[in-house]
Amino acid sequence: MSFSRTLLAALLLAAAAAPVHAAAPPISAFFDNSPFNGAMLSPDGRYLAAFIGANDKRDGLAVVELDTLKATMVAQFSDTDIGRAQWVNNERLMFSTTDKTRGQRDLRYAPGLYVVDRDGKHYRQLALRRNEFLRSSDDNRDLLPWHTFMLDQAGAQDSDYVYVADAGYSKESGNSEDLLRLNTRNGKAVPVDHPGTARSWLLDQNGEPRLITTLDKNIESLLYLDPATQQWRTLISFDAYKGSANSFSPLAFGPDGALYVISNAGRDQSALYRYDLKNNQLPKQHMVELDGFDFRGKLIISKQRLLGVRIHSDAEGTVWFDPAMQALQKLIDGRLPGTANLITPPTRPESAWVLVESYSDKQPRRYLVYNTETKRLSEVGRVAAQIKAADMGPCELYYYKARDGLQIPAWLTLPPDGAQKNLPLVVLVHGGPWVRGGSWDWRPDAEFLASRGYAVLEPEFRGSTGYGWQLFRAGWKQWGLKMQDDIADGARWAIAQGYADSQRICIAGASYGGYATLMGLIKDPDLYKCGINWVGVSDINLMYDGGWFYSSDLSSDWKQYGMPVLIGDQVKDAEQLKATSPLLQANRITQPLLLAYGGADMRVPINHGLKLYDAVKTSNPKVEWIEYSEEGHGWALPKNRIDFWGRVEKFLDKNIGSPK
């Protein structure tokens, strides 16, 4: 590990500066690694830690003293990048690594775990970066195993102690997570006793473990460590895949020890509740709801007070309970018009600094600091610095009716030149599929396509999450059926609205989106003129049993309890799985098709692509094959992202780029 204890103010400005470029930014502007990757305030608000990479060096961790702008690179490796970090306390940071030059196939190291003081001193390695059997010396015997990870929660941040996860995996049940209490000064760790097989933990307002989620086959349970009795008690148990009428997800503990949860009990969209721990029940009245969206967000706590809630409806924003923060939000919005501005105060402030994240559909994230006393607003850095908002297209959320009357949300991104009618259209299908696909934010894939003159439609088809239980539940066992119809109905809506040229529509997507691309070409050959599938499922039965030669990370419990409910049972739904198999209907794909797969993919192993390619090319000479042998489920390396999207650009231009 190398340290560079020099001022970084100029480096921060360089990372934030955008060079002059032509109206259409190069592919690298969208898909190269960014030299700036975010920042976070210390608990007292006096210091800012930032992820910086510049001058052909690996990404490092820099700390800026905000009052003086003195900056220090406190952690930087010669052979890997800093991945994640969090403040242990005001004086100390914990971090892990990620190698941005290696694909999935070539990864030889785990993230590791390290700590260092904010001045670059007292650096210590806490966990191994590689498997114990690969060690060449006895020097690392006192280190924690390579599968030790930081939690997503910061903890108390008032001592040298933290809690870390000892992650496990079994082919039968999937991931598990034990907990260790770790002294970051001497590296000593003590395991936390708990019942069952832990899947996740929630720390309380004092940074102590208070809630555990366990999973036994298909039964998920939430257990609470009662401070009065020091005994674990079950709050609720339910089917992890089917849910229940009164199920909920824990979000966080408030400053007073109250538990805040998310639930859609008795309603379509979920809302935020303050859970009644004494009577072990949800209250009738919710705290925060989002019109048309499931609640998604986090608590904002400072000075042991709940100031507000960060929310995510169509975009990220904040509901402030505190009048002073409401006034500050109004002031910041006035200084930064036309963008969403997310204010984060320090948790235990001893200064006047707050962190501001500013973004829009056209502008990647900018990070700024604001001093509430001097009114000074300073930019620290920005992600994807080559991108200019003026070169990006607008994105809006629309709703259309599927053929059975269900309301389907969809994101539409248009070219930046103002064109809105009779455009070539890319129907971009999100993966998952049980995730939320889009948001009002800058997203490189959609904006890249829009910058090349394409309209981009991203349907939130049934089965998508984030828009209520009805939309999610309607997607069960609908792969290739009503889920597919929703996507086609979206394309026809875009035609009817005048956005899309009916003769220039291409369907594209990754993972489930790749599956939907293949089924779209099969079911709606007159609608889609071409298709782009990367890392896509080609046959549902291959997900259940891909063969001994290909490794999959899907657990046995997921295949036994989850997939039969959400996708289809291999026995009971055998005929449906055959009818919705792109592989078994490959001869019906006659349109131009671009296929791309990763050789080290364990989510959708490459045999999905190889079998499909062999089946399609016998009758379709317009199929193209790309294999990135070192990649997994998606493209980790910039060179491959740039290469892939360059091929996509040429493929689209050839097939739908100009009126035929």
Side-chain angles (χ1 to χ4, degrees):
M1 179 178 183
S2 63
F3 295 104
S4 176
R5 298 181 177 90
T6 58
L7 294 180
L8 296 180
L11 180 59
L12 291 172
L13 291 174
V20 177
H21 55 266
I27 301 174
S28 60
F30 297 88
F31 299 109
D32 205 350
N33 288 338
S34 175
F36 178 87
N37 292 289
M40 54 188 179
L41 283 173
S42 61
D44 61 9
R46 295 184 181 276
Y47 301 90
L48 187 79
F51 300 91
I52 298 291
N55 301 325
D56 299 321
K57 291 186 177 181
R58 295 296 195 122
D59 284 5
L61 184 64
V63 173
V64 181
E65 184 178 5
L66 292 174
D67 286 342
T68 65
L69 289 183
K70 178 184 178 182
T72 306
M73 183 70 85
V74 301
Q76 191 170 40
F77 291 88
S78 61
D79 64 340
T80 193
D81 302 284
I82 304 298
R84 296 178 55 209
Q86 60 184 221
W87 289 92
V88 175
N89 51 50
N90 289 321
E91 306 298 322
R92 199 153 171 79
L93 290 129
M94 181 168 59
F95 62 92
S96 60
T97 69
T98 182
D99 192 341
K100 293 184 177 181
T101 68
R102 296 286 184 268
Q104 183 67 35
R105 181 200 64 191
D106 300 324
L107 289 178
R108 296 292 181 268
Y109 297 97
L113 199 62
Y114 308 84
V115 283
V116 68
D117 286 353
R118 58 173 171 77
D119 59 2
K121 298 178 181 179
H122 301 116
Y123 159 78
R124 184 185 186 99
Q125 183 175 357
L126 299 171
L128 290 164
R129 276 182 63 197
R130 52 184 176 173
N131 288 324
E132 294 185 29
F133 65 85
L134 293 175
R135 286 185 301 179
S136 58
S137 72
D138 295 332
D139 296 339
N140 295 326
R141 283 186 175 177
D142 293 333
L143 295 180
L144 293 169
W146 63 271
H147 44 80
T148 306
F149 301 93
M150 283 186 288
L151 298 178
D152 291 333
Q153 307 157 71
Q157 297 182 316
D158 60 359
S159 74
D160 289 326
Y161 284 89
V162 296
Y163 285 97
V164 295
D166 181 7
Y169 177 82
S170 73
K171 190 63 179 176
E172 290 72 33
S173 58
N175 297 324
S176 62
E177 187 175 281
D178 291 328
L179 202 64
L180 304 174
R181 187 172 187 264
L182 172 64
N183 185 315
T184 62
R185 291 290 174 183
N186 61 28
K188 303 298 182 182
V190 178
V192 176
D193 291 332
H194 62 85
T197 301
R199 299 301 293 270
S200 64
W201 294 80
L202 192 63
L203 306 181
D204 67 11
Q205 73 279 13
N206 300 314
E208 296 298 323
R210 189 62 57 197
L211 195 72
I212 184 174
T213 301
T214 65
L215 185 65
D216 181 11
K217 296 181 178 178
N218 63 318
I219 301 301
E220 182 173 319
S221 299
L222 302 181
L223 291 85
Y224 173 69
L225 182 58
D226 195 319
T229 63
Q230 289 301 307
Q231 299 295 316
W232 293 96
R233 61 180 170 92
T234 301
L235 300 182
I236 191 172
S237 295
F238 54 89
D239 189 302
Y241 306 109
K242 297 180 181 179
S244 69
N246 61 341
S247 62
F248 59 86
S249 299
L251 178 64
F253 284 91
D256 59 353
L259 174 61
Y260 292 83
V261 304
I262 303 169
S263 177
N264 63 351
R267 52 189 297 130
D268 186 29
Q269 281 94 29
S270 62
L272 178 66
Y273 293 84
R274 180 184 167 115
Y275 189 76
D276 184 349
L277 284 167
K278 180 179 180 180
N279 297 303
N280 207 35
Q281 64 183 17
L282 281 170
K284 294 182 179 179
Q285 186 60 41
H286 58 267
M287 283 188 60
V288 179
E289 65 176 354
L290 308 177
D291 186 21
F293 299 88
D294 289 319
F295 179 86
R296 180 176 169 186
K298 64 180 182 180
L299 305 184
I300 302 177
I301 297 170
S302 181
K303 292 184 178 179
Q304 291 299 305
R305 294 175 54 230
L306 178 58
L307 300 184
V309 180
R310 181 70 33 79
I311 62 168
H312 192 169
S313 53
D314 58 337
E316 283 188 82
T318 311
V319 174
W320 293 112
F321 307 141
D322 180 73
M325 291 304 299
Q326 292 173 4
L328 179 59
Q329 182 74 60
K330 184 176 181 180
L331 186 153
I332 294 293
D333 289 344
R335 297 277 295 270
L336 300 171
T339 55
N341 305 304
L342 309 178
I343 304 171
T344 301
T347 53
R348 293 194 304 279
E350 297 178 11
S351 72
W353 294 101
V354 297
L355 181 65
V356 180
E357 293 177 58
S358 178
Y359 74 94
S360 74
D361 54 340
K362 301 179 182 181
Q363 177 189 289
R365 300 273 168 144
R366 296 170 62 205
Y367 287 77
L368 308 97
V369 287
Y370 178 76
N371 190 297
T372 57
E373 294 177 352
T374 66
K375 313 303 181 186
R376 178 181 177 183
L377 182 66
S378 304
E379 180 172 318
V380 177
R382 62 177 68 192
V383 177
Q386 286 184 295
I387 296 296
K388 289 185 176 180
D391 298 336
M392 299 294 102
C395 175
E396 294 293 342
L397 179 62
Y398 294 91
Y399 293 84
Y400 62 86
K401 280 191 177 182
R403 62 194 67 181
D404 64 357
L406 187 64
Q407 283 278 101
I408 307 296
W411 300 92
L412 180 66
T413 304
L414 296 174
D417 61 4
Q420 296 187 4
K421 298 298 181 182
N422 203 37
L423 297 166
L425 174 71
V426 178
V427 181
L428 191 59
V429 187
H430 70 70
W434 304 286
V435 298
R436 173 172 163 172
S439 180
W440 190 81
D441 201 347
W442 183 83
R443 290 171 291 126
D445 47 6
E447 286 294 345
F448 169 71
L449 294 171
S451 75
R452 269 52 184 174
Y454 298 96
V456 183
L457 183 72
E458 300 172 87
E460 302 279 17
F461 46 85
R462 69 191 68 204
S464 301
T465 61
Y467 300 89
W469 176 260
Q470 181 186 11
L471 186 72
F472 167 59
R473 178 66 179 83
W476 292 12
K477 291 189 177 184
Q478 292 301 312
W479 282 44
L481 301 172
K482 290 185 178 180
M483 291 168 74
Q484 199 68 46
D485 293 341
D486 291 347
I487 298 166
D489 291 344
R492 294 189 174 97
W493 170 85
I495 295 170
Q497 296 297 312
Y499 295 116
D501 179 347
S502 63
Q503 299 304 306
R504 294 190 292 160
I505 298 178
C506 188
I507 184 170
S511 196
Y512 170 82
Y515 168 89
T517 292
L518 300 172
M519 285 303 301
L521 297 176
I522 292 167
K523 289 191 67 173
D524 298 285
D526 295 332
L527 181 63
Y528 304 118
K529 306 307 175 186
C530 60
I532 305 166
N533 154 32
W534 65 106
V535 300
V537 173
S538 66
D539 181 83
I540 294 171
N541 281 310
L542 277 179
M543 296 173 66
Y544 277 103
D545 182 14
W548 66 270
F549 187 74
Y550 298 99
S551 297
S552 169
D553 62 4
L554 300 178
S555 70
S556 298
D557 282 355
W558 165 243
K559 294 178 182 179
Q560 182 176 355
Y561 301 109
M563 288 177 60
V565 172
L566 297 177
I567 303 176
D569 187 286
Q570 267 196 302
V571 177
K572 296 178 182 178
D573 304 309
E575 292 305 312
Q576 176 179 317
L577 299 190
K578 290 180 182 178
T580 55
S581 167
L583 180 59
L584 297 181
Q585 304 173 78
N587 62 347
R588 295 175 58 186
I589 300 177
T590 60
Q591 306 94 316
L593 174 62
L594 180 63
L595 300 173
Y597 283 82
D601 193 345
M602 295 182 65
R603 179 56 50 90
V604 179
I606 195 173
N607 62 329
H608 280 262
L610 292 171
K611 287 177 177 288
L612 182 79
Y613 177 57
D614 287 342
V616 173
K617 70 179 181 179
T618 59
S619 58
N620 185 352
K622 295 172 288 188
V623 58
E624 301 177 34
W625 172 261
I626 312 168
E627 179 181 340
Y628 299 113
S629 59
E630 72 271 45
E631 294 284 14
H633 197 57
W635 321 137
L637 301 182
K639 66 173 185 176
N640 292 334
R641 292 196 296 267
I642 293 167
D643 177 78
F644 172 73
W645 286 100
R647 293 172 185 258
V648 167
E649 182 176 10
K650 292 176 182 177
F651 180 85
L652 291 173
D653 183 62
K654 177 181 178 180
N655 291 292
I656 64 168
S658 58
K660 302 296 189 284

